[in-house]
Every structure is written in C-alpha cells, then in structure tokens.
C-alpha cells in the first residue's frame, strides 16, 4: 500500500513539467512589459505635472483639474460624442443594409454579391493613414477637388469640407463610416447566415410582408449580434486616431480633435505629458466600461444557451 501511494504521487519536477504555468510565463512577461507596464505608467504620470521638455515633475492632481477646467475639454467631448454616435449608427445601418442586400443576392445566385463584398472589404483593409490621405484628396477645395468638381455639375457651390468647423466634423465622420462599414457588414452577414430558414418561411406563410418579417422576426433574432456589433464598433470608433490625424490633424481649430487625437496633441504638440496622460486614463476608463459590458453580455448569453 505504501508503495502504491508513493507511486501515485508526482515529484515536483514532474508536476512542473505537466503544468501549463511554465508555458504561460513567457506570454505573461511579454504582456506585462508591453501592456500592463505602459498602462501603469500612464496612470502614474496622470497624477503629475510632467512635461516632455523637462525632467523634473511633482505629483499633483492639477493635471486632472486643468483638464476639466480647460475650455477645450467640453469641445473635445462634444466632438467625440458626435463623431462616435454618428459613426456607429451609420456604420451599423449601412453594414446591415449591405449585408441584407448581399445575402439576398447570394440566395438568388447573383454574382454581383461577391463583387460587393470585395469592394466593401477593400475599404476595411486599407490603413487608416492612407484613408485619411485619400479622403483629403477627395475633399480638396481647389479646382482639383474631386467631390467639389462632381457636385458643381448638380448646382452645388464650393463646399468647405475641411475648412469649416461643422462641415469638417461631418466630413471626418463620413470618411470613418466609409472605412468601418465593412466590419459591421461582416458580422451582420454572418448573423444572417445563421437565421433559421423555417422560421422565415413560416412568417411568410402566415402572411407577414417583407417589412414585418424584417422588424418582427429578423431583427429580434439578430439582436445578440447587433449588440456585439454595437459594442465592438463603439470601442473601435472611440479609439480612432490615425485617419483623423492624416485627414485634419484635429483642425480647423480643434473642431475635429476627438479623444484619442487629443492625447497625441497634448503630449507631442503641447508637450504636456501629465494632462495628456490624464486624458488617456479617461479614454482607458471608457474602453474598460464598454469591454466589461461586452463580457457580461457574452456570459449571460452563454448561461442562457
């Protein structure tokens, strides 16, 4: 009996060899260095008056107080809210519309559905900086401006796409919608493929018209996918930076300076490391809240299933 008990026990080296911990330690180290440490440093620097042009700094709450007292803070929040809300709504609406058209086209054997998917996905594959440059060429106000040249044929005068504050924010939002619609289309098209055909056919047999089938059958079945799409697109849009930097740089004035771009401008344009870090902490907090909501929703769905 003693021998069998001894034989059944693992030595320390055998336990370490069979454990997944040694294999996960390198990954944990990489994540700690590349993710956790920068987040910790940003949080620490947000409680200082640090600057990029000076080495000495003191721990203080002035960075947060100056941020909230700044007249540009409200403008940044307003620009971010308009940009995020309009982008998310239009991306989801256009993504669903394109996904629905592609799905119906595929069911009817139309080859154009493949072309549509390819065209939409190409916009998603282009880097944000390149998209900003492309749209800056389209928005050019001179005679070489493509959009102004086309609009002149239908009676429109020269539109200040990037020089008027209100129009510039709408122009940036339009470019972001063009860029991000593809992601919504992919998710919702995948959701449409999972809809049970028998349910749709039963609704059709019961006399429901196309609008009723869409609003009373299709959308309720797609509700989990729509919510996932909403959260992911909101997080992605809230962190948009590269496209806006290349397109307007936050101008004219600060009319298109959204939250992520504000962090960059405060640190690398104004050299205010403390206040830029405070803005970054607020940005991280919003992302964590949205991520927490997303995880809780997934956990609830798993329990229901």
């Amino acid at each position: 009996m003693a021998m069998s008990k001894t034989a059944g026990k693992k030595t320390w080296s055998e336990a370490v060899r069979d454990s997944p911990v040694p294999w996960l330690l390198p990954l944990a180290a990489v994540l700690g260095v590349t993710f956790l440490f920068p987040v910790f440093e940003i949080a620490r620097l947000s409680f200082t008056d640090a600057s990029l042009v000076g080495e000495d700094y003191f721990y203080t709450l002035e960075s947060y107080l100056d941020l909230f007292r700044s007249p540009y803070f409200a403008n940044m929040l307003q620009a971010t809210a308009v940009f995020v809300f309009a982008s998310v709504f239009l991306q989801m609406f256009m993504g669903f519309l394109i996904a629905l058209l592609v799905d119906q086209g595929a069911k009817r054997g139309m080859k154009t559905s493949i072309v549509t998917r390819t065209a939409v996905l190409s916009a998603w594959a282009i880097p944000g900086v390149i998209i900003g440059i492309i749209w800056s060429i389209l928005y050019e106000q001179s005679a070489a401006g493509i959009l102004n040249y086309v609009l002149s044929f239908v009676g429109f005068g020269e539109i200040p796409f990037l020089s008027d504050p209100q129009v510039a924010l709408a122009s940036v939002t339009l470019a972001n919608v063009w860029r991000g619609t593809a992601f919504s289309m992919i998710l919702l098209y995948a959701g449409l493929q999972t809809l049970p055909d028998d349910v749709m056919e039963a609704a059709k047999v019961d006399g429901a018209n196309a609008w009723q089938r869409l609003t009373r059958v299709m959308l309720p079945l797609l509700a989990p996918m729509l919510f996932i799409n909403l959260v992911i697109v909101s997080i992605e849009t809230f962190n948009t930076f590269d496209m806006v930097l290349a397109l307007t740089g936050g101008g004219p004035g600060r009319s298109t300076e959204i939250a992520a771009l504000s962090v960059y401008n405060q640190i690398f344009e104004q050299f205010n490391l403390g206040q830029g870090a405070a803005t970054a902490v607020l940005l991280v907090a919003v992302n964590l809240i949205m991520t927490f909501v997303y995880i809780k929703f997934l956990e609830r769905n798993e329990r229901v299933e």
Side-chain angles (χ1 to χ4, degrees), residues 1-273:
M1 292 292 294
M3 293 181 60
S4 63
K5 288 183 180 179
T6 305
K9 292 183 178 179
K10 290 184 179 180
T11 63
W12 184 84
S13 59
E14 289 174 340
V16 171
R17 183 189 62 191
D18 296 336
S19 173
V21 174
W23 300 96
L24 295 176
L25 283 177
L27 176 61
V30 171
L31 289 176
V33 172
T34 61
F35 179 73
L36 296 180
F37 177 73
V39 171
F40 172 78
E41 275 295 287
I42 286 294
R44 184 182 68 84
L45 289 171
S46 69
F47 293 100
T48 69
D49 59 355
S51 171
L52 286 184
V53 295
E55 296 181 359
D56 297 331
Y57 59 84
F58 301 95
Y59 286 93
T60 176
L61 293 176
E62 284 300 315
S63 293
Y64 285 98
L65 297 177
D66 290 343
L67 176 65
F68 295 138
R69 288 194 296 250
S70 172
Y72 300 111
F73 181 68
N75 294 334
M76 183 266 289
L77 289 181
Q78 181 180 359
T80 303
V82 172
F83 175 76
V84 172
F85 178 80
S87 293
V88 171
F89 174 78
L90 291 174
Q91 283 181 39
M92 292 187 64
F93 176 76
M94 295 299 297
F96 177 73
L97 183 62
I98 296 173
L100 190 60
L101 293 175
V102 170
D103 179 64
Q104 294 300 315
K107 289 179 178 179
R108 289 169 171 77
M110 298 173 62
K111 296 182 180 180
T112 53
S113 62
I114 300 176
V115 178
T116 304
R117 274 181 288 178
T118 304
V120 174
L121 285 173
S122 64
W124 191 42
I126 301 175
V129 173
I130 304 300
I131 291 177
I133 295 173
I134 291 174
W135 279 88
S136 65
I137 297 173
L138 293 175
Y139 287 143
E140 181 63 45
Q141 282 186 233
S142 67
I146 298 175
L147 287 180
N148 272 319
Y149 179 75
V150 172
L151 291 174
S152 65
F153 286 102
V154 292
F156 284 92
E158 186 178 278
I159 299 178
F161 286 110
L162 300 180
S163 59
D164 182 89
Q166 301 299 326
V167 180
L169 184 57
S171 301
V172 171
T173 303
L174 177 62
N176 189 61
V177 171
W178 180 82
R179 174 195 188 186
T181 296
F183 182 77
S184 294
M185 188 273 288
I186 293 170
L187 282 181
L188 297 178
Y189 180 74
L192 289 172
Q193 302 305 300
T194 63
L195 293 182
D197 293 333
D198 54 345
V199 175
M200 302 302 296
E201 288 297 328
K204 190 174 183 180
V205 171
D206 289 340
N209 56 36
W211 176 252
Q212 290 171 334
R213 294 197 301 272
L214 173 66
T215 56
R216 299 184 182 181
V217 180
M218 187 177 295
L219 289 179
L221 291 175
L222 285 175
M225 185 64 72
L226 288 170
F227 182 80
I228 292 173
N229 187 17
L230 172 65
V231 176
I232 294 177
V233 170
S234 298
I235 293 174
E236 183 180 3
T237 305
F238 203 83
N239 291 283
T240 300
F241 164 76
D242 49 358
M243 186 204 69
V244 183
L245 178 65
L247 185 55
T248 64
R254 288 187 168 183
S255 60
T256 60
E257 187 179 275
I258 57 178
L261 184 59
S262 179
V263 175
Y264 173 85
N265 287 339
Q266 289 177 26
I267 295 177
F268 297 104
E269 297 291 337
Q270 304 170 27
F271 307 114
N272 194 337
L273 183 56

